[in-house]
Amino acid sequence: MEPTAAELVIVTGMTGAGRSTAAKELEDLGFFVVDNLPPTLVRDVVRLVDDSRGVSQPIAVVVDVRSGSFFDSLQANRHQGVTGRPTTLLFLEATDDVLVRRQEAARRPHPLQGSGRLLHGLQREREVLAEVRGDADVVIDTTNFNVHQLTDRIAEQFGTPESTALKVTVISFGFKYGIPVDADYVADMRFLPNPYWVPELRPRTGRDEAVADYVTMRPSAQTFLDQFVPMLENVAGGYLTEGKRFMTVAIGCTGGKHRSVAMTEEIAARLRAHGIDTRASHRDLGRE
């Protein structure tokens, strides 16, 4: 049985209405995104993705259809179903006064204003895109949206429960090798007794049951876990509210072999037990 072809989302709309923001959010949702693509090349992009990643890979393309020939090509591709994928045309718009303020804040001229005013360029663009807007499957007016509200709307429309869930990476590391630069939160496990000084535990790692018990079963470790994990759960809710779906928690000890590894595994297990998509990673394990 052949896999079902995933969705193709064509993103277009008014300059300044949020096309780039929508593209970034779609990428975070797992779409293969191509920005500023001429509609004549949509079919080629789909074919290349089908060949390299398979038809189950969702695709989003951001197109500029202010040219009449581009518009004709876009409409032909959609109505003829030449891509072989279910296709959604997303159109983003906003009022002229809001678009003017956004363009002026970005200090960029409108591509269609020529030697005239910015407002004249927007009005010309709105005329050219009138038919596209009328044919769109989804129209989002971003007039009263901030960036977070737009990303929430895109996630609501195109996300799946899996793609919109928070994904947490808990990574162990050794302080002597440096703190991970991408960490959102860093915790230091050097307050716990070091298994390194126990001869039978020294050659083992925090993944071994004996080392894990030595580290995590101590009252001080349990107190830390009982306070730290609920804090992460609380933060996780705030991340999703703010449109952030990736969080990295770095757990360190001296060499990244014993204490940080054992505590990383335990923190990840507790987060997973509370329904948070979490994976454990050990950056410096094996370096000693």
Side-chain angles (χ1 to χ4, degrees), residues 150-188:
L150 177 54
T151 56
D152 286 346
R153 182 68 178 85
I154 297 297
E156 175 186 324
Q157 182 70 43
F158 299 103
T160 63
E162 182 181 49
S163 65
T164 56
L166 180 71
K167 293 175 176 57
V168 178
T169 298
V170 187
I171 181 171
S172 68
F173 72 97
F175 276 98
K176 69 180 183 180
Y177 302 116
I179 298 174
V181 296
D182 59 342
D184 298 301
Y185 294 92
V186 177
D188 185 353

Side-chain angles (χ1 to χ4, degrees), residues 78-138:
R78 291 192 68 231
H79 293 307
Q80 295 171 15
V82 295
T83 66
R85 286 172 173 255
T87 303
T88 300
L89 177 59
L90 168 64
F91 189 94
L92 301 172
E93 67 175 4
T95 60
D96 285 345
D97 59 327
V98 168
L99 293 175
V100 167
R101 287 200 302 270
R102 291 174 182 172
Q103 286 296 101
E104 288 179 341
R107 298 183 179 181
R108 297 177 60 187
H110 191 281
L112 295 184
Q113 75 179 77
S115 59
R117 297 170 54 201
L118 174 58
L119 183 59
H120 294 157
L122 288 169
Q123 290 171 343
R124 289 182 59 195
E125 181 179 40
R126 201 176 292 281
E127 292 172 1
V128 172
L129 293 178
E131 288 189 60
V132 177
R133 186 196 184 285
D135 203 37
D137 300 298
V138 179

Side-chain angles (χ1 to χ4, degrees), residues 11-287:
V11 183
T12 189
M14 297 293 294
T15 300
R19 294 192 306 249
S20 296
T21 299
K24 183 179 183 302
E25 177 62 14
L26 287 166
E27 187 172 32
D28 288 345
L29 291 173
F31 281 73
F32 182 90
V33 177
V34 181
D35 203 353
N36 292 325
L37 183 76
T40 51
L41 299 180
V42 170
R43 186 177 184 179
D44 294 328
V45 167
V46 172
R47 186 182 66 255
L48 290 172
V49 173
D50 287 351
D51 292 342
S52 62
R53 301 195 177 195
V55 298
S56 60
Q57 168 65 57
I59 304 172
V61 295
V62 184
V63 300
D64 184 337
V65 293
R66 286 168 295 196
S67 163
S69 60
F70 279 11
F71 169 78
D72 293 341
S73 174
L74 175 64
Q75 298 300 79
N77 274 276
R78 291 192 68 231
H79 293 307
Q80 295 171 15
V82 295
T83 66
R85 286 172 173 255
T87 303
T88 300
L89 177 59
L90 168 64
F91 189 94
L92 301 172
E93 67 175 4
T95 60
D96 285 345
D97 59 327
V98 168
L99 293 175
V100 167
R101 287 200 302 270
R102 291 174 182 172
Q103 286 296 101
E104 288 179 341
R107 298 183 179 181
R108 297 177 60 187
H110 191 281
L112 295 184
Q113 75 179 77
S115 59
R117 297 170 54 201
L118 174 58
L119 183 59
H120 294 157
L122 288 169
Q123 290 171 343
R124 289 182 59 195
E125 181 179 40
R126 201 176 292 281
E127 292 172 1
V128 172
L129 293 178
E131 288 189 60
V132 177
R133 186 196 184 285
D135 203 37
D137 300 298
V138 179
V139 177
I140 299 178
D141 186 339
T142 68
T143 298
N144 297 312
F145 282 8
N146 59 31
V147 171
H148 298 308
Q149 290 169 321
L150 177 54
T151 56
D152 286 346
R153 182 68 178 85
I154 297 297
E156 175 186 324
Q157 182 70 43
F158 299 103
T160 63
E162 182 181 49
S163 65
T164 56
L166 180 71
K167 293 175 176 57
V168 178
T169 298
V170 187
I171 181 171
S172 68
F173 72 97
F175 276 98
K176 69 180 183 180
Y177 302 116
I179 298 174
V181 296
D182 59 342
D184 298 301
Y185 294 92
V186 177
D188 185 353
M189 298 299 105
R190 290 176 295 184
F191 71 94
L192 296 171
N194 193 349
Y196 179 86
W197 302 113
V198 180
E200 61 269 26
L201 298 181
R202 180 179 298 179
R204 302 186 181 186
T205 76
R207 283 177 162 175
D208 292 311
E209 184 177 356
V211 176
D213 288 345
Y214 181 89
V215 173
T216 63
M217 293 305 172
R218 294 180 177 275
S220 55
Q222 289 293 313
T223 298
F224 172 82
L225 290 165
D226 290 344
Q227 295 177 352
F228 187 66
V229 173
M231 182 276 290
L232 293 178
E233 293 175 36
N234 180 59
V235 169
Y239 265 54
L240 288 176
T241 299
E242 292 301 310
K244 300 178 180 180
R245 287 191 294 279
F246 300 91
M247 181 167 68
T248 300
V249 181
I251 307 298
C253 65
T254 303
K257 179 180 179 180
H258 296 114
R259 293 167 291 181
S260 63
V261 172
M263 293 294 277
T264 288
E265 291 288 346
E266 181 64 20
I267 291 168
R270 292 193 181 200
L271 289 173
R272 285 194 292 266
H274 286 86
I276 298 176
D277 185 357
T278 307
R279 72 182 187 94
S281 176
H282 305 292
R283 190 192 71 178
D284 299 323
L285 196 58
R287 294 187 69 167

